[in-house]
């Protein structure tokens, strides 16, 4: 049935540890041998998953130290998934099962790729508060700062009398009377992400040694922020992710996820594509006819290399019984199966690498810092980023969503809607782009804080005020009816000083009337507003582009006819 549907790749084994090893040292490989041979005989290629997202119950009972500890100090219970600690005990067990898998299947011709783990960081699983992680955190801090005095200075711990007498006095951020120091919270995010990536790196190394020549990747849910997906993509040179449009608010959110994935490593796979209704979003809306096909076309048009559906057959047991598959619970084809069969014909020989002239800068560290100290309840880093991204897409631009410390001079336009933290690498990348004549647009809250989440001690945007001829004089989380021209400015509003070429001023009948909202000097622009409409006006002014129906992201959650699909294809 898979071959008849036109499928080429099958992912298996990512949750199967207890089926591999039902007890310590007792293995039941025969079922997997049979499955691998059946798939290989049918001409299907296999992506074999390492099962480390789901340790078996016997292992949790035998070695309870593998279980993570929550911020409340309680050890997490087994019975679900991703309930482990990234310290050596679980890493040892992970390496053991991966070595056995690679020894048995690493040279099998049908195994063409490996998936390491599954959705690391999901369910807030990257951070652990156990004693081992506490000790590792102290050691990590001591490796970053020469002395405790240097840490105290960088974090500003004199405020609220938090000064630490030694590295050993620094505690993981457990619940306390009120907010923790933002520097501590950001350090914990960095530490946890790096520790998770280090743990997965050990599995990559085992696979490279024992199964050479195969692609290796780790799928992530890009709505999570716990683990830096750029760092994960760098491990194997492939960004793979789970694409569930019903977990997002609209087609532009999905488009952004696709471009974030392709921009992370150049190669991107959808490891789990929604095949129909799912079970874990708040409302789990129905999926109308033709929608699965349209979602897959959207991925193809954004340059996705491989696309796999989760799952093949709907599960009769467990926590995801309402998660549809290409087959129903009874094994008969569901609507998604028929649409995949049509897709296989349409996509035969299809390949696209969109020519992207616009780069949008996105950083997990910025997202962490702004989530820790948002200045406005409920406002997310993603809101700022998506507003600028949507504006660029509506103007017809293909957008690369890329990390801010890479090469930027190859783009016509670089948009940085919330480039929050100041680092030497970021400044060097921007400087190189500006010297090459690339237009760089900094959005609100850009280059305001140093790498430890402390406010920059000089005028902002850091290192660029002289070049801009202007500076930020107010950073507001405002609720007034402030506009840029006739367009709402949005909730986050940076006010600039007079200087350079003022492109736009604030209005709306408040005390901000007439204050500069956008300033340009040569190829450098600073824009203080945050709404999608304001970004649309600014980018249209800078590029001369205008919204056009053929450039809209037409992949809405409605039934879309083939004519609409062809319009998007002609982009």
């Amino acid at each position: 049935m898979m071959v008849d549907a036109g499928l080429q790749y099958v992912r298996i084994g990512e949750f199967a540890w207890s089926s591999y090893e039902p007890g310590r040292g007792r293995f039941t490989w025969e079922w997997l041998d049979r499955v691998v041979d059946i798939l290989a005989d049918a001409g299907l290629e296999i992506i074999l998953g390492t099962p480390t997202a789901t340790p078996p119950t016997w292992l949790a009972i035998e070695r309870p130290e593998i279980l993570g500890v929550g911020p409340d100090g309680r050890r997490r219970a087994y019975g679900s998934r991703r309930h482990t600690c990234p310290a050596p005990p679980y890493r040892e067990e992970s390496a053991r099962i991966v070595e056995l898998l690679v020894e048995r299947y690493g040279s099998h011709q049908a195994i063409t790729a490996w998936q390491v783990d599954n959705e690391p960081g999901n369910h807030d699983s990257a951070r652990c508060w156990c004693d081992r992680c506490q000790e590792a955190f102290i050691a990590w801090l001591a490796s970053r700062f020469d002395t405790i005095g240097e840490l105290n200075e960088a974090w500003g711990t004199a405020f609220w009398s938090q000064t630490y007498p030694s590295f050993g006095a620094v505690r993981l951020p457990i619940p306390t009377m009120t907010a923790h120091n933002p520097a501590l919270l950001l350090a914990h995010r960095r530490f946890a992400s790096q520790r998770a990536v280090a743990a997965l790196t050990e599995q990559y190394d085992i696979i490279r040694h024992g199964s050479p020549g195969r692609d290796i990747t780790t799928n992530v849910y890009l709505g999570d922020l716990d683990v830096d997906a750029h760092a994960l993509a760098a491990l194997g040179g492939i960004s793979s992710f789970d694409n569930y449009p019903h977990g997002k608010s609209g087609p532009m959110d999905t488009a952004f996820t696709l471009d974030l994935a392709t921009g992370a490593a150049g190669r991107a796979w959808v490891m789990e594509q929604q095949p129909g209704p799912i079970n874990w979003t708040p409302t789990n809306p129905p999926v109308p006819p033709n929608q699965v096909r349209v979602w897959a076309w959207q991925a193809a048009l954004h340059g996705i290399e491989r696309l796999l559906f989760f799952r093949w057959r709907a599960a009769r047991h467990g926590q995801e019984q309402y998660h549809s598959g290409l087959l129903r619970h009874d094994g008969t084809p569901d609507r998604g199966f028929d649409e995949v069969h049509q897709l296989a014909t349409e996509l035969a020989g299809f390949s696209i690498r969109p020519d992207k002239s616009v780069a949008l800068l996105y950083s997990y560290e910025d997202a962490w810092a702004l989530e820790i100290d948002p200045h406005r309840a409920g406002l997310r880093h993603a809101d700022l980023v998506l507003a600028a991204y949507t504006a660029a897409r509506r103007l017809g631009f293909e957008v690369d969503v890329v990390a801010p410390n890479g090469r930027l001079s190859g783009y016509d336009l670089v948009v940085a809607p919330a480039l929050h933290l100041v680092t030497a690498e970021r400044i060097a990348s921007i400087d190189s782009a500006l010297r090459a004549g690339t237009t760089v647009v900094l959005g609100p809250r850009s280059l305001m804080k140093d790498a430890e989440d402390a406010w920059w001690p000089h005028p902002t945007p850091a290192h660029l005020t002289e070049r801009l001829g202007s500076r930020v004089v107010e950073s507001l989380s405002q609720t007034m009816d402030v506009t840029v021209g006739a367009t709402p400015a949005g909730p986050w509003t940076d006010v600039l000083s007079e200087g350079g070429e003022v492109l736009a001023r604030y209005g709306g009948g408040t005390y901000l009337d007439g204050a500069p909202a956008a300033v340009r000097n040569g190829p450098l622009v600073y824009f203080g507003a945050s709404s999608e409409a304001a970004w649309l006006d600014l980018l249209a002014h800078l590029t001369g582009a205008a919204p056009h129906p053929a450039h809209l992201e037409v992949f809405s959650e409605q039934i879309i006819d083939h004519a609409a699909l062809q319009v998007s294809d002609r982009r």
Side-chain angles (χ1 to χ4, degrees):
M1 290 180 74
M2 291 177 179
V3 172
D4 289 345
L7 300 180
Q8 297 171 278
Y9 307 99
V10 182
R11 180 185 67 150
I12 57 175
E14 73 276 11
F15 296 142
W17 193 336
S18 65
S19 297
Y20 297 153
E21 188 183 21
R24 168 76 66 183
R26 181 163 58 90
F27 299 101
T28 54
W29 300 115
E30 294 77 16
W31 68 270
L32 185 59
D33 293 343
R34 181 168 175 264
V35 168
V36 168
D37 289 342
I38 289 171
L39 295 172
D41 290 345
L44 294 161
E45 297 182 39
I46 298 170
I47 301 172
L48 187 57
T50 70
T52 50
T54 53
T57 299
W58 65 259
L59 179 57
I61 295 171
E62 180 184 300
R63 299 193 69 180
E65 68 271 23
I66 72 166
L67 299 173
V69 172
D72 59 358
R74 299 176 62 184
R75 194 168 293 280
R76 287 171 169 148
Y78 58 83
S80 183
R81 66 177 188 177
R82 300 228 59 88
H83 41 273
T84 55
C85 166
Y90 191 58
R91 288 161 75 155
E92 293 165 4
E93 295 290 349
S94 296
R96 183 182 63 86
I97 192 65
V98 173
E99 286 171 351
L100 292 166
L101 272 173
V102 170
E103 181 182 344
R104 191 172 187 91
Y105 301 104
S107 61
H108 197 294
Q109 62 180 4
I111 310 293
T112 60
W114 292 80
Q115 177 189 297
V116 172
D117 204 79
N118 188 84
E119 298 174 352
N122 202 220
H123 322 303
D124 190 27
S125 61
R127 288 174 286 179
C128 175
W129 281 260
C130 73
D131 291 342
R132 284 187 176 89
C133 287
Q134 172 66 57
E135 293 170 4
F137 184 54
I138 291 171
W140 182 81
L141 292 173
S143 72
R144 297 185 75 241
F145 298 97
D146 291 334
T147 66
I148 191 60
E150 185 180 316
L151 180 148
N152 283 320
E153 180 68 24
W155 288 12
T157 55
F159 188 71
W160 285 4
S161 193
Q162 298 170 28
T163 306
Y164 297 110
S166 66
F167 285 111
V170 183
R171 310 304 298 167
L172 291 170
I174 62 175
T176 187
M177 292 299 296
T178 185
H180 276 291
N181 188 331
L184 170 64
L185 296 174
L186 181 57
H188 188 212
R189 290 292 190 101
R190 282 195 182 110
F191 162 76
S193 177
Q194 290 176 19
R195 196 159 161 81
V197 172
L200 297 179
T201 300
E202 295 171 358
Q203 297 189 42
Y204 274 75
D205 291 341
I206 293 168
I207 294 168
R208 283 196 184 96
H209 177 74
S211 187
R214 273 74 171 180
D215 286 321
I216 316 174
T217 187
T218 296
N219 68 315
V220 294
Y221 180 64
L222 289 173
D224 295 330
L225 293 176
D226 294 71
V227 179
D228 187 337
H230 287 125
L232 280 177
L235 293 180
I238 301 170
S239 174
S240 65
F241 66 105
D242 302 338
N243 191 33
Y244 290 100
H246 275 176
K248 301 176 176 65
S249 60
M252 281 297 180
D253 299 71
T254 303
F256 173 81
T257 299
L258 295 165
D259 287 334
L260 173 60
T262 56
R267 297 178 65 192
W269 299 355
V270 173
M271 197 63 82
E272 296 183 17
Q273 173 64 53
Q274 183 174 342
I278 53 179
N279 71 292
W280 48 265
T281 57
T283 56
N284 298 304
V287 175
N290 206 39
Q291 189 64 60
V292 172
R293 169 176 162 263
V294 167
W295 282 333
W297 262 107
Q298 183 183 24
L301 289 166
H302 281 261
I304 297 300
E305 190 175 291
R306 296 185 186 180
L307 185 143
L308 292 88
F309 292 87
F310 186 82
R311 53 189 298 154
W312 170 242
R313 178 173 173 172
R316 293 177 52 240
H317 305 94
Q319 289 91 329
E320 298 186 355
Q321 294 179 38
Y322 280 99
H323 193 304
S324 59
L326 297 182
L327 305 184
R328 299 182 180 91
H329 298 85
D330 61 8
T332 59
D334 208 341
R335 185 189 301 138
F337 180 95
D338 298 327
E339 294 183 27
V340 167
H341 187 273
Q342 182 180 353
L343 269 167
T345 302
E346 294 173 341
L347 290 171
F350 178 86
S351 178
I352 187 170
R353 285 283 186 265
D355 184 16
K356 298 185 176 183
S357 59
V358 175
L360 185 138
L361 305 188
Y362 181 86
S363 159
Y364 283 81
E365 292 202 337
D366 290 330
W368 296 335
L370 286 161
E371 184 180 80
I372 289 165
D373 193 11
H375 200 201
R376 185 186 185 94
L379 193 62
R380 308 170 304 152
H381 176 257
D383 298 326
L384 294 174
V385 170
L386 193 61
Y389 172 85
T390 301
R393 293 285 296 160
R394 289 186 60 200
L395 291 170
F397 295 109
E398 299 288 352
V399 181
D400 251 345
V401 182
V402 298
N405 53 354
R407 181 177 175 273
L408 304 176
S409 55
Y411 298 96
D412 297 331
L413 174 66
V414 172
V415 180
L419 191 67
H420 202 50
L421 303 179
V422 182
T423 68
E425 294 80 8
R426 293 179 176 196
I427 298 301
S429 293
I430 292 171
D431 180 68
S432 178
L434 290 171
R435 285 189 283 106
T438 298
T439 298
V440 177
V441 185
L442 300 174
R445 299 300 195 270
S446 286
L447 301 177
M448 288 180 56
K449 295 191 178 184
D450 68 17
E452 301 303 324
D453 210 15
W455 203 282
W456 190 248
H458 308 292
T460 59
H463 297 293
L464 294 174
T465 53
E466 185 174 341
R467 188 176 222 151
L468 183 65
S470 177
R471 59 165 290 180
V472 176
V473 294
E474 286 190 85
S475 292
L476 304 174
S477 172
Q478 52 87 17
T479 57
M480 304 179 292
D481 293 326
V482 178
T483 62
V484 181
T487 302
W492 274 5
T493 307
D494 283 358
V495 183
L496 296 155
S497 66
E498 296 289 344
E501 177 189 358
V502 177
L503 299 178
R505 296 182 182 274
Y506 289 116
T510 75
Y511 78 92
L512 296 180
D513 280 11
V519 171
R520 175 172 62 186
N521 192 3
L524 178 61
V525 180
Y526 195 100
F527 186 48
S530 57
S531 73
E532 177 191 323
W535 271 107
L536 186 69
D537 289 346
L538 176 78
L539 296 180
H541 174 77
L542 292 174
T543 63
H548 188 276
H551 295 126
L552 297 179
E553 194 78 15
V554 300
F555 303 97
S556 68
E557 297 186 7
Q558 305 294 327
I559 301 171
I560 298 176
D561 61 24
H562 192 64
L565 191 58
Q566 289 176 322
V567 166
S568 182
D569 193 15
R570 287 198 298 269
R571 295 182 313 167

